[in-house]
């Protein structure tokens, strides 16, 4: 590895840690917005996110995609579905954090890879390897244990996991870049969110102007909280392998889980520990299988390259042009890819 590529990899890793670190620590931010309710916070997030993402697109001068998107009704419809699904995800997450359910919210992002794989099998007819089946089975057992522990199904976790998995599935069909996609989705969200905020203000229930300049600034900062991790993720995605991003993504729910226990002091009786342990076991199986498969694929590719190289005439290699490095994948990989691969390619709408 050259010095330049090593430096690029370090920059990518730092940006990856920054992105997932911010997503993992975001539960510290939402309580600062009280007394605003979850729906008001959600509406502000939609409105201010569009402003910040539009400013980013204006800065990098990337608008060509918009005309193409407007000429494709099917993709516009999918963008609308994605916007609706991520609205549910954002809203449930904000409510759960501000209602004292940080640990259960973190569980949603732990089990999301398993839900994504299950949806790949049921909806896309993908075939799983035996270890992946085992991981999904252990994950299902974990949900049963947690249902006993909570006295009811972990609805918050399941809602977050299924909404984000559905979001990833729709985004796979849209196949639009991260910043561009978020801009399109928040454009769909903008008018309903702005209308709700204006109605709330007319009713005298808005906290934006009633709680002082500091509170208003924090509500406006929801746009930065949404956009900044995305920028860091984008910088990481073009510099580090997708498999590395797949592993780094576990930092976010780990940080959320630790915050829930250590900072917010949420209860963790033995049956909940047992359920989480099963989820972590499923993720270990999934990660081990993904890394093993990736190594086998790399060895097979190296062997095939060696065979081809042995048949190349002397001097032909030196004469061949150097291939340009490929960009990081933008579409969500299938269930057989790296851990939580459907998230790894498109994480622009994390909580």
């Amino acid at each position: 590895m050259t010095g330049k590529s090593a430096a690029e990899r370090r920059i990518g890793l730092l940006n990856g840690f920054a992105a997932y670190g911010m997503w993992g620590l975001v539960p510290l931010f939402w309580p600062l917005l009280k007394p605003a309710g979850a729906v008001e916070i959600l509406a502000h997030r939609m409105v201010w996110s569009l402003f910040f993402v539009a400013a980013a697109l204006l800065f990098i001068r990337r608008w060509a995609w918009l005309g193409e998107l407007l000429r494709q009704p099917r993709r516009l419809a999918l963008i609308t579905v994605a916007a609706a699904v991520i609205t549910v995800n954002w809203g449930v997450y904000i409510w759960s954090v501000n209602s004292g359910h940080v640990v259960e919210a973190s569980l949603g992002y732990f089990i999301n890879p398993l839900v994504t794989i299950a949806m790949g099998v049921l909806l896309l007819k993908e075939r799983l390897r035996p270890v992946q089946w085992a991981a999904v089975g252990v994950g299902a057992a974990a949900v049963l244990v947690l249902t006993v522990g909570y006295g009811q199904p972990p609805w918050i976790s399941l809602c977050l996991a299924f909404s984000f998995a559905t979001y990833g599935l729709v985004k796979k069909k849209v196949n639009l870049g991260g910043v561009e996609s978020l801009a399109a989705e928040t454009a769909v969200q903008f008018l309903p969110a702005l209308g709700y905020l204006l109605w709330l203000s007319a009713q005298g229930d808005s906290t934006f102007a009633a709680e002082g300049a500091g509170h208003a600034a924090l509500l406006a900062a929801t746009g930065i909280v949404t956009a900044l991790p995305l920028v860091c993720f984008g910088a990481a995605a073009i510099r580090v392998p997708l498999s590395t991003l797949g592993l780094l993504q576990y930092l976010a729910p780990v940080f959320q889980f630790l915050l829930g226990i250590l900072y917010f002091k949420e209860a963790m009786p033995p049956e909940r520990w047992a359920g989480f342990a099963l989820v972590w076991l499923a993720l270990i199986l999934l990660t081990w299988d993904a890394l093993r498969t990736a190594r086998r694929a790399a060895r097979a590719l190296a062997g095939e390259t060696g065979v081809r190289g042995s048949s190349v005439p002397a001097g032909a290699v030196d004469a061949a042009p150097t291939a340009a490095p490929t960009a990081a994948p933008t579409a969500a990989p299938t269930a057989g890819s790296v851990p939580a691969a459907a998230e790894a390619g498109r994480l622009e709408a994390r909580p």
Side-chain angles (χ1 to χ4, degrees):
M1 179 179 291
T2 65
K4 182 178 179 180
S5 62
E8 286 289 298
R9 186 179 178 86
R10 282 195 296 271
I11 292 172
L13 285 173
L14 288 174
N15 277 281
F17 279 114
Y20 289 107
M22 284 185 278
W23 281 319
L25 296 176
V26 77
L28 296 174
F29 178 72
W30 302 124
L32 300 178
L33 304 182
K34 293 178 178 180
V39 179
E40 183 181 2
I41 295 171
L42 174 64
H44 275 286
R45 185 180 190 180
M46 295 173 180
V47 169
W48 294 107
S49 292
L50 179 60
F51 284 120
F52 283 102
V53 175
L57 288 171
L58 187 63
F59 178 76
I60 62 179
R61 299 179 181 180
R62 194 185 299 169
W63 293 102
W65 59 274
L66 183 57
E68 181 183 350
L69 179 64
L70 292 175
R71 291 191 296 270
Q72 297 177 306
R74 181 177 179 276
R75 292 181 77 194
L76 281 173
L78 289 173
I79 285 288
T80 303
V81 173
V85 173
I86 204 59
T87 296
V88 173
N89 185 273
W90 283 356
V92 171
Y93 187 83
I94 293 169
W95 175 85
S96 64
V97 169
N98 284 359
S99 300
H101 299 284
V102 176
V103 170
E104 191 174 350
S106 74
L107 176 64
Y109 292 103
F110 276 126
I111 67 175
N112 177 71
L114 303 171
V115 173
T116 299
I117 287 177
M119 290 180 67
V121 173
L122 296 175
L123 301 179
L124 303 180
K125 307 303 180 183
E126 294 176 350
R127 298 179 62 183
L128 299 187
R129 295 182 292 274
V131 176
Q132 291 176 312
W133 277 116
V136 172
V138 172
V143 172
L144 292 177
V145 171
L146 288 166
T147 298
V148 174
Y150 281 102
Q152 61 180 5
W155 295 116
I156 293 173
S157 307
L158 293 173
C159 183
L160 290 173
F162 276 93
S163 61
F164 201 78
T166 303
Y167 177 75
L169 180 64
V170 174
K171 294 297 289 294
K172 183 177 181 180
K173 302 292 185 182
V174 174
N175 193 25
L176 193 62
V179 177
E180 295 90 339
S181 179
L182 185 60
E185 291 156 20
T186 50
V188 172
Q189 296 169 331
F190 180 79
L191 287 179
L194 181 61
Y196 173 77
L197 291 176
L198 292 175
W199 175 82
L200 204 63
S201 180
Q203 296 292 112
D205 295 328
S206 173
T207 66
F208 183 73
E211 297 294 326
H215 180 73
L218 284 173
L219 286 172
T222 55
I224 300 177
V225 169
T226 301
L228 185 57
L230 171 61
V231 173
C232 293
F233 175 80
I238 62 175
R239 291 178 172 88
V240 297
L242 188 61
S243 57
T244 302
L245 289 178
L247 295 174
L248 284 177
Q249 67 142 345
Y250 292 135
L251 288 176
V254 166
F255 285 168
Q256 294 165 15
F257 176 77
L258 293 176
L259 282 175
I261 294 176
L262 302 177
Y263 182 80
F264 293 101
K265 308 296 183 181
E266 294 185 18
M268 278 295 290
E271 56 271 20
R272 292 186 192 173
W273 278 111
F276 270 85
L278 287 172
V279 170
W280 295 332
L281 173 60
L283 293 179
I284 290 171
L285 290 173
L286 198 61
T287 303
W288 171 76
D289 179 71
L291 293 176
R292 182 187 62 169
T293 303
R295 283 195 296 267
R296 287 179 177 175
R299 285 196 297 267
L301 181 61
E304 182 180 346
T305 303
V307 171
R308 289 178 179 176
S310 64
S311 62
V312 177
V317 174
D318 294 334
T322 302
T326 57
T330 55
T334 62
S337 302
V338 297
E343 281 189 90
R346 294 195 179 278
L347 280 173
E348 60 272 14
R350 275 287 195 177

